[in-house]
Amino acid sequence: MNNGNYKIGVIGLGYVGLPLAVEFGKKFKVVGFDINKSRVAELNHGHDATLEVEDENLKQVLMARENSGLFLTTELDEIRSCNIYIVTVPTPIDEFKRPDLTPLVKASETVGKVISKGDIVIYESTVYPGATEEDCLPVIEKVSGLKFNFDFFAGYSPERINPGDKINTLLTIKKITSGSTPEIADVVDELYNSILLNGTHKASSIKVAEAAKVIENAQRDLNISFVNELALIFDRLGIDTNEVIDAAGTKWNFIKFRPGLVGGHCIGVDPYYLAFKAEAVGYHPDVIRSGRRVNDNMSQFVADKVIKLMIKKGLKILDSKVLLLGVTFKENCPDIRNTKVVDIVDALQDYGCQLDIYDPWANPVEVKHEYGIVTMEKNVDIYAKKYDAVILAVSHEQFGQIDFARLTNGSQSVIFDIKGYLPKHLVDGRL
């Protein structure tokens, strides 16, 4: 280990784990492990459906070399020979918006079955402060029979993957690192610095690193909740929120956050982890909770606003034809995790609207499996019918080429732009 003789096992090959496994595979022997057999089979054929890793990049690292290369498997025994394990599984919330550590606990059990004396386990999954040492490592101890910080060691280096972002990638960001002892912190820091271009920030403890990660997204959540609340206020005052932000943005220190839906695997989830831990130690986080309430209610506000605009134009709501453009949680990526667009779908269906949902980035099979929602095929002719209302929910670049006049009945229809993506004169309303 002191000579950099690392064999790395990456557990979880999603948006976070795969890019990490690929980059480490260019320097070290890496085994990527995932329980999803179809995902591993697809990757072994050289294609990443998340589009986080280019196919050519993946294929090159899959070719084994003498001292490096990536091997992908669903077989647990294949990672038993590793001496560093990196856990990159999801940390979602349950139906009651409480942290769901099930994937993390199961991954810890997996590590416990294969870890040996002297090995290091590094967690990248976003958690509340204390989760690594209080919830995960005891599982490894129980399963393995080894003692933490005596037989095996730990680190925490939180992921900072931004799906669809080709500028702020794994290689170009600065990464936080930490270790369970000062010596292990140095090893973890050195390991990540071997692949990163902009270096690391070595935190003083695992808890500090955990806390730093969870507040990154809580801060963004609160900033967006503020402008979303402004949108609710300015809607009642008959003022265009985006015009207000543009005007205020002429001041040098004004930060131009925009109103919108807050979903995804991070911003819409992480504040609940921090709030859960705060309440566990006897503090009620009013600001964090109130921000979450505002952002969680924006989908209903959009649906209600569209219905009101339709009523003003004399449109019949029951069985009205509505086209929803976009179902992913953000633009120009296929990621549908925790997308708030589905809440708009539910609200409009409650009103009796007949919805068509079109997204050239989302996988219809995945959307159906995850949310029970049927979306249009990617090659469909979206101009085949006229719609009473069209809602631009996600600002995919392809939507800038749509001829909205061909989608609607002219001035008799409603066009609502959630993202402020379209020219103002084309729409009847926007956030």
Side-chain angles (χ1 to χ4, degrees):
M1 295 285 280
N2 290 333
N3 297 322
N5 185 26
Y6 305 135
K7 184 174 182 181
I8 302 170
V10 177
I11 299 171
L13 297 173
Y15 282 84
V16 176
L18 181 66
L20 197 68
V22 167
E23 295 306 327
F24 274 131
K26 296 174 182 178
K27 294 281 185 77
F28 308 101
K29 285 287 186 183
V30 177
V31 181
F33 174 83
D34 201 293
I35 59 174
N36 187 332
K37 292 184 178 181
S38 61
R39 169 70 170 163
V40 172
E42 173 192 68
L43 294 175
N44 274 322
H45 281 92
H47 177 64
D48 171 29
T50 71
L51 306 181
E52 290 303 303
V53 175
E54 294 181 358
D55 289 358
E56 190 60 34
N57 195 13
L58 175 59
K59 290 174 183 176
Q60 286 179 358
V61 79
L62 284 173
M63 298 171 60
R65 300 168 180 83
E66 184 177 350
N67 296 312
S68 63
L70 174 62
F71 176 74
L72 304 175
T73 183
T74 59
E75 297 297 325
L76 186 59
D77 280 344
E78 300 283 3
I79 63 173
R80 192 177 296 277
S81 61
C82 296
N83 50 28
I84 290 183
Y85 297 94
I86 304 179
V87 176
T88 62
V89 297
T91 44
I93 53 176
D94 64 19
E95 60 181 314
F96 303 107
K97 303 187 186 304
R98 296 177 304 198
D100 180 4
L101 296 182
T102 302
L104 206 53
V105 170
K106 289 186 178 298
S108 298
E109 291 173 349
T110 296
V111 173
K113 293 174 183 177
V114 296
I115 198 168
S116 300
K117 285 188 175 183
D119 291 353
I120 301 172
V121 55
I122 303 169
Y123 287 88
E124 289 220 359
S125 306
T126 303
V127 291
Y128 46 75
T132 299
E133 293 159 296
E134 297 164 11
D135 297 294
C136 300
L137 298 178
V139 173
I140 296 179
E141 285 186 313
K142 180 179 179 180
V143 174
S144 68
L146 301 177
K147 185 177 180 181
F148 170 54
N149 266 352
F150 182 80
D151 295 317
F152 74 96
F153 305 89
Y156 184 77
S157 181
E159 59 93 359
R160 279 177 168 169
I161 293 295
N162 184 24
D165 189 339
K166 301 307 178 184
I167 298 175
N168 300 298
T169 64
L170 169 64
L171 293 183
T172 61
I173 61 171
K174 182 181 286 290
K175 213 168 188 307
I176 297 171
T177 64
S178 64
S180 56
T181 71
E183 295 78 14
I184 296 302
D186 289 341
V187 173
V188 173
D189 197 61
E190 175 189 289
L191 176 68
Y192 280 96
N193 268 305
S194 70
I195 63 170
L196 300 176
L197 300 178
N198 287 327
T200 60
H201 174 90
K202 185 165 61 174
S204 61
S205 69
I206 287 176
K207 282 186 179 180
V208 167
E210 291 169 325
K213 168 58 183 178
V214 80
I215 72 166
E216 290 173 11
N217 291 318
Q219 181 187 66
R220 285 187 58 80
D221 190 48
L222 288 170
N223 280 322
I224 298 171
S225 73
F226 172 64
V227 294
N228 274 341
E229 190 161 69
L230 292 180
L232 301 178
I233 295 169
F234 294 149
D235 176 69
R236 297 189 178 198
L237 296 175
I239 302 173
D240 188 296
T241 307
N242 281 281
E243 289 184 2
V244 174
I245 292 171
D246 289 337
T250 58
K251 188 181 180 186
W252 62 89
N253 61 352
F254 183 84
I255 304 173
K256 294 174 69 173
F257 280 88
R258 299 286 179 177
L261 308 180
V262 185
H265 70 298
C266 286
I267 301 179
V269 173
D270 296 355
Y272 286 118
Y273 273 72
L274 184 56
F276 171 84
K277 189 63 176 181
E279 289 167 350
V281 295
Y283 180 80
H284 186 75
D286 293 321
V287 174
I288 295 172
R289 287 291 190 186
S290 65
R292 279 281 76 228
R293 282 193 296 272
V294 171
N295 287 341
D296 277 345
N297 288 331
M298 291 307 291
S299 296
Q300 185 66 53
F301 170 76
V302 169
D304 292 346
K305 185 66 177 177
V306 170
I307 294 298
K308 290 176 182 178
L309 290 170
M310 292 173 69
I311 292 172
K312 284 183 178 180
K313 291 195 173 187
L315 292 167
K316 179 186 175 184
I317 303 303
L318 185 62
D319 293 327
S320 59
K321 297 180 178 63
V322 178
L323 175 64
L324 196 59
L325 294 173
V327 74
T328 61
F329 93 89
K330 65 176 292 189
E331 67 278 359
N332 303 326
C333 83
D335 195 346
I336 63 169
R337 290 175 295 174
N338 195 36
T339 174
K340 296 304 179 183
V341 178
V342 299
D343 294 337
I344 297 177
V345 173
D346 291 340
L348 290 177
Q349 287 179 337
D350 285 344
Y351 278 114
C353 301
Q354 298 298 316
L355 264 69
D356 284 340
I357 304 161
Y358 175 68
D359 193 314
W361 285 84
N363 183 332
V365 175
E366 186 179 351
V367 177
K368 180 69 166 63
H369 177 267
E370 190 69 25
Y371 299 108
I373 294 174
V374 176
T375 58
M376 302 165 76
E377 294 297 327
K378 295 183 180 182
N379 60 354
V380 71
D381 178 11
I382 62 171
Y383 300 113
K385 66 173 75 170
K386 300 287 187 179
Y387 292 95
D388 298 304
V390 177
I391 304 173
L392 181 78
V394 185
S395 54
H396 293 316
E397 57 187 13
Q398 291 93 332
F399 293 160
Q401 308 301 317
I402 289 178
D403 183 353
F404 284 83
R406 294 177 58 192
L407 288 174
T408 66
N409 297 305
S411 61
Q412 295 302 308
S413 297
V414 168
I415 299 177
F416 192 88
D417 181 8
I418 293 175
K419 299 293 292 184
Y421 181 66
L422 302 173
K424 186 180 178 182
H425 71 274
L426 287 181
V427 303
D428 298 280
R430 60 180 184 172
L431 283 183

